[in-house]
Amino acid sequence: MTQHVSDVMTSAPVTVEPQTSVTAVARMMRDEDIGAVLVTEGERLRGLVSDRDLVVRALAGGGDPDRTTAAEACSADLVTVGPDDELTLAIRVMREHAVRRVPVVDEGQHVVGIVSLGDLAIERDPESALGGISAAEPNQ
């Protein structure tokens, strides 16, 4: 049976406006136990801020995290998939672009979800090390 992106994606991704401070973004990631937030203007996708983006673009650059915005820290050159795309396409996109998370957008380019490498590991091989780690409850 063919699996689709909508079968494994997180359907309520955390989003922020472009002017949100990276301090606020980091707190959201901590509180929600996630590694990325989507940057949106209205319903339109503008970028993705990962935990790595926070470190490399915001902190390592020496900027003030209370003044550095999500728009300044985000990866703006994104690849996306649709909810009705086959899961194999999401896997191929991740491999070809060396990314761990891919935003899911509908035909109107509105954000409807996000699919991560961990989501795929849980679905495809839950007994693998990555599948087990991804499915584990977070340590607080």
Side-chain angles (χ1 to χ4, degrees):
M1 182 167 117
T2 302
Q3 287 186 296
H4 296 96
V5 170
S6 60
D7 296 330
V8 301
M9 72 181 192
T10 298
S11 59
V14 175
T15 63
V16 298
E17 291 290 322
Q19 295 309 310
T20 305
S21 75
V22 295
T23 299
V25 170
R27 286 183 182 134
M28 287 177 190
M29 288 181 180
R30 177 198 64 202
D31 295 346
E32 299 291 329
D33 190 39
I34 56 175
V37 300
L38 299 177
V39 180
T40 57
E41 283 185 296
E43 294 182 21
R44 298 274 184 197
L45 180 63
R46 178 164 173 183
L48 180 147
V49 178
S50 69
D51 43 11
R52 185 175 191 283
D53 291 331
L54 289 178
V55 171
V56 173
R57 292 196 177 120
L59 297 178
D64 179 351
D66 290 323
R67 293 179 189 235
T68 303
T69 66
E72 294 169 309
C74 75
S75 299
D77 187 22
L78 299 177
V79 291
T80 62
V81 293
D84 296 327
D85 288 339
E86 291 186 16
L87 210 50
T88 54
L89 175 64
I91 293 167
R92 188 169 61 246
V93 165
M94 286 181 178
R95 279 188 184 135
E96 288 175 4
H97 297 275
V99 295
R100 293 175 175 87
R101 300 166 187 96
V102 177
V104 182
V105 297
D106 65 15
E107 291 177 11
Q109 296 301 302
H110 300 111
V111 174
V112 296
I114 188 167
V115 63
S116 72
L117 187 60
D119 296 331
L120 297 172
I122 291 168
E123 181 62 31
R124 290 290 174 106
D125 192 2
E127 300 303 315
S128 70
L130 182 56
I133 290 166
S134 298
E137 290 294 320
N139 292 329
Q140 296 296 327

PDB file of all heavy atoms in Angstrom, residues 92-105:
ATOM      1  N   ARG A  92      13.360  10.979  -0.878  1.00  0.00           N
ATOM      2  CA  ARG A  92      14.271  11.389  -1.952  1.00  0.00           C
ATOM      3  C   ARG A  92      14.663  12.855  -1.814  1.00  0.00           C
ATOM      4  O   ARG A  92      15.837  13.216  -1.966  1.00  0.00           O
ATOM      5  CB  ARG A  92      13.626  11.124  -3.317  1.00  0.00           C
ATOM      6  CG  ARG A  92      14.589  11.351  -4.458  1.00  0.00           C
ATOM      7  CD  ARG A  92      14.080  10.845  -5.809  1.00  0.00           C
ATOM      8  NE  ARG A  92      12.851  11.501  -6.229  1.00  0.00           N
ATOM      9  CZ  ARG A  92      11.671  10.873  -6.358  1.00  0.00           C
ATOM     10  NH1 ARG A  92      11.561   9.587  -6.065  1.00  0.00           N
ATOM     11  NH2 ARG A  92      10.607  11.543  -6.762  1.00  0.00           N
ATOM     12  N   VAL A  93      13.712  13.724  -1.480  1.00  0.00           N
ATOM     13  CA  VAL A  93      13.991  15.151  -1.294  1.00  0.00           C
ATOM     14  C   VAL A  93      14.988  15.352  -0.152  1.00  0.00           C
ATOM     15  O   VAL A  93      15.935  16.132  -0.274  1.00  0.00           O
ATOM     16  CB  VAL A  93      12.680  15.928  -1.038  1.00  0.00           C
ATOM     17  CG1 VAL A  93      12.949  17.308  -0.488  1.00  0.00           C
ATOM     18  CG2 VAL A  93      11.856  16.011  -2.314  1.00  0.00           C
ATOM     19  N   MET A  94      14.794  14.640   0.958  1.00  0.00           N
ATOM     20  CA  MET A  94      15.716  14.761   2.092  1.00  0.00           C
ATOM     21  C   MET A  94      17.123  14.333   1.696  1.00  0.00           C
ATOM     22  O   MET A  94      18.097  15.000   2.057  1.00  0.00           O
ATOM     23  CB  MET A  94      15.218  13.941   3.275  1.00  0.00           C
ATOM     24  CG  MET A  94      14.040  14.549   3.968  1.00  0.00           C
ATOM     25  SD  MET A  94      13.548  13.507   5.368  1.00  0.00           S
ATOM     26  CE  MET A  94      12.218  14.479   6.024  1.00  0.00           C
ATOM     27  N   ARG A  95      17.217  13.225   0.968  1.00  0.00           N
ATOM     28  CA  ARG A  95      18.532  12.741   0.534  1.00  0.00           C
ATOM     29  C   ARG A  95      19.200  13.730  -0.416  1.00  0.00           C
ATOM     30  O   ARG A  95      20.367  14.081  -0.252  1.00  0.00           O
ATOM     31  CB  ARG A  95      18.388  11.393  -0.172  1.00  0.00           C
ATOM     32  CG  ARG A  95      18.271  10.236   0.742  1.00  0.00           C
ATOM     33  CD  ARG A  95      18.333   8.939  -0.046  1.00  0.00           C
ATOM     34  NE  ARG A  95      18.130   7.815   0.852  1.00  0.00           N
ATOM     35  CZ  ARG A  95      17.341   6.796   0.594  1.00  0.00           C
ATOM     36  NH1 ARG A  95      16.674   6.730  -0.535  1.00  0.00           N
ATOM     37  NH2 ARG A  95      17.226   5.819   1.469  1.00  0.00           N
ATOM     38  N   GLU A  96      18.466  14.150  -1.446  1.00  0.00           N
ATOM     39  CA  GLU A  96      19.046  15.016  -2.476  1.00  0.00           C
ATOM     40  C   GLU A  96      19.479  16.377  -1.936  1.00  0.00           C
ATOM     41  O   GLU A  96      20.442  16.957  -2.419  1.00  0.00           O
ATOM     42  CB  GLU A  96      18.039  15.213  -3.611  1.00  0.00           C
ATOM     43  CG  GLU A  96      17.851  13.975  -4.458  1.00  0.00           C
ATOM     44  CD  GLU A  96      16.752  14.129  -5.506  1.00  0.00           C
ATOM     45  OE1 GLU A  96      16.166  15.232  -5.630  1.00  0.00           O
ATOM     46  OE2 GLU A  96      16.485  13.138  -6.202  1.00  0.00           O
ATOM     47  N   HIS A  97      18.754  16.874  -0.938  1.00  0.00           N
ATOM     48  CA  HIS A  97      19.048  18.207  -0.411  1.00  0.00           C
ATOM     49  C   HIS A  97      19.740  18.173   0.948  1.00  0.00           C
ATOM     50  O   HIS A  97      20.005  19.230   1.521  1.00  0.00           O
ATOM     51  CB  HIS A  97      17.759  19.036  -0.343  1.00  0.00           C
ATOM     52  CG  HIS A  97      17.171  19.267  -1.696  1.00  0.00           C
ATOM     53  ND1 HIS A  97      17.569  20.304  -2.506  1.00  0.00           N
ATOM     54  CD2 HIS A  97      16.241  18.578  -2.394  1.00  0.00           C
ATOM     55  CE1 HIS A  97      16.903  20.245  -3.644  1.00  0.00           C
ATOM     56  NE2 HIS A  97      16.090  19.206  -3.605  1.00  0.00           N
ATOM     57  N   ALA A  98      20.026  16.965   1.440  1.00  0.00           N
ATOM     58  CA  ALA A  98      20.712  16.775   2.724  1.00  0.00           C
ATOM     59  C   ALA A  98      20.037  17.566   3.843  1.00  0.00           C
ATOM     60  O   ALA A  98      20.680  18.336   4.551  1.00  0.00           O
ATOM     61  CB  ALA A  98      22.190  17.143   2.608  1.00  0.00           C
ATOM     62  N   VAL A  99      18.718  17.385   3.976  1.00  0.00           N
ATOM     63  CA  VAL A  99      17.948  18.042   5.029  1.00  0.00           C
ATOM     64  C   VAL A  99      17.255  16.994   5.893  1.00  0.00           C
ATOM     65  O   VAL A  99      16.983  15.881   5.443  1.00  0.00           O
ATOM     66  CB  VAL A  99      16.906  19.038   4.459  1.00  0.00           C
ATOM     67  CG1 VAL A  99      17.606  20.194   3.759  1.00  0.00           C
ATOM     68  CG2 VAL A  99      15.924  18.357   3.522  1.00  0.00           C
ATOM     69  N   ARG A 100      16.984  17.371   7.123  1.00  0.00           N
ATOM     70  CA  ARG A 100      16.356  16.464   8.085  1.00  0.00           C
ATOM     71  C   ARG A 100      14.869  16.733   8.269  1.00  0.00           C
ATOM     72  O   ARG A 100      14.158  15.938   8.853  1.00  0.00           O
ATOM     73  CB  ARG A 100      17.060  16.590   9.428  1.00  0.00           C
ATOM     74  CG  ARG A 100      18.482  16.086   9.405  1.00  0.00           C
ATOM     75  CD  ARG A 100      19.176  16.360  10.735  1.00  0.00           C
ATOM     76  NE  ARG A 100      20.495  15.775  10.751  1.00  0.00           N
ATOM     77  CZ  ARG A 100      21.581  16.362  10.299  1.00  0.00           C
ATOM     78  NH1 ARG A 100      21.510  17.559   9.769  1.00  0.00           N
ATOM     79  NH2 ARG A 100      22.747  15.757  10.367  1.00  0.00           N
ATOM     80  N   ARG A 101      14.419  17.894   7.774  1.00  0.00           N
ATOM     81  CA  ARG A 101      13.014  18.278   7.928  1.00  0.00           C
ATOM     82  C   ARG A 101      12.550  18.954   6.644  1.00  0.00           C
ATOM     83  O   ARG A 101      13.285  19.755   6.065  1.00  0.00           O
ATOM     84  CB  ARG A 101      12.850  19.253   9.084  1.00  0.00           C
ATOM     85  CG  ARG A 101      13.298  18.678  10.415  1.00  0.00           C
ATOM     86  CD  ARG A 101      13.429  19.792  11.444  1.00  0.00           C
ATOM     87  NE  ARG A 101      14.006  19.297  12.675  1.00  0.00           N
ATOM     88  CZ  ARG A 101      15.291  19.374  12.984  1.00  0.00           C
ATOM     89  NH1 ARG A 101      16.146  19.937  12.159  1.00  0.00           N
ATOM     90  NH2 ARG A 101      15.732  18.907  14.141  1.00  0.00           N
ATOM     91  N   VAL A 102      11.313  18.642   6.253  1.00  0.00           N
ATOM     92  CA  VAL A 102      10.761  19.231   5.043  1.00  0.00           C
ATOM     93  C   VAL A 102       9.361  19.753   5.349  1.00  0.00           C
ATOM     94  O   VAL A 102       8.500  18.990   5.804  1.00  0.00           O
ATOM     95  CB  VAL A 102      10.697  18.202   3.885  1.00  0.00           C
ATOM     96  CG1 VAL A 102      10.060  18.815   2.649  1.00  0.00           C
ATOM     97  CG2 VAL A 102      12.080  17.657   3.561  1.00  0.00           C
ATOM     98  N   PRO A 103       9.126  21.040   5.107  1.00  0.00           N
ATOM     99  CA  PRO A 103       7.774  21.570   5.284  1.00  0.00           C
ATOM    100  C   PRO A 103       6.802  20.932   4.287  1.00  0.00           C
ATOM    101  O   PRO A 103       7.179  20.604   3.157  1.00  0.00           O
ATOM    102  CB  PRO A 103       7.930  23.064   4.996  1.00  0.00           C
ATOM    103  CG  PRO A 103       9.391  23.341   5.180  1.00  0.00           C
ATOM    104  CD  PRO A 103      10.087  22.083   4.759  1.00  0.00           C
ATOM    105  N   VAL A 104       5.568  20.782   4.731  1.00  0.00           N
ATOM    106  CA  VAL A 104       4.516  20.232   3.883  1.00  0.00           C
ATOM    107  C   VAL A 104       3.540  21.366   3.583  1.00  0.00           C
ATOM    108  O   VAL A 104       3.029  22.000   4.510  1.00  0.00           O
ATOM    109  CB  VAL A 104       3.794  19.059   4.579  1.00  0.00           C
ATOM    110  CG1 VAL A 104       2.733  18.466   3.667  1.00  0.00           C
ATOM    111  CG2 VAL A 104       4.797  17.990   5.029  1.00  0.00           C
ATOM    112  N   VAL A 105       3.323  21.631   2.303  1.00  0.00           N
ATOM    113  CA  VAL A 105       2.445  22.720   1.890  1.00  0.00           C
ATOM    114  C   VAL A 105       1.376  22.191   0.944  1.00  0.00           C
ATOM    115  O   VAL A 105       1.600  21.228   0.212  1.00  0.00           O
ATOM    116  CB  VAL A 105       3.226  23.876   1.224  1.00  0.00           C
ATOM    117  CG1 VAL A 105       4.201  24.520   2.200  1.00  0.00           C
ATOM    118  CG2 VAL A 105       3.967  23.398  -0.013  1.00  0.00           C
TER     119      VAL A 105
END
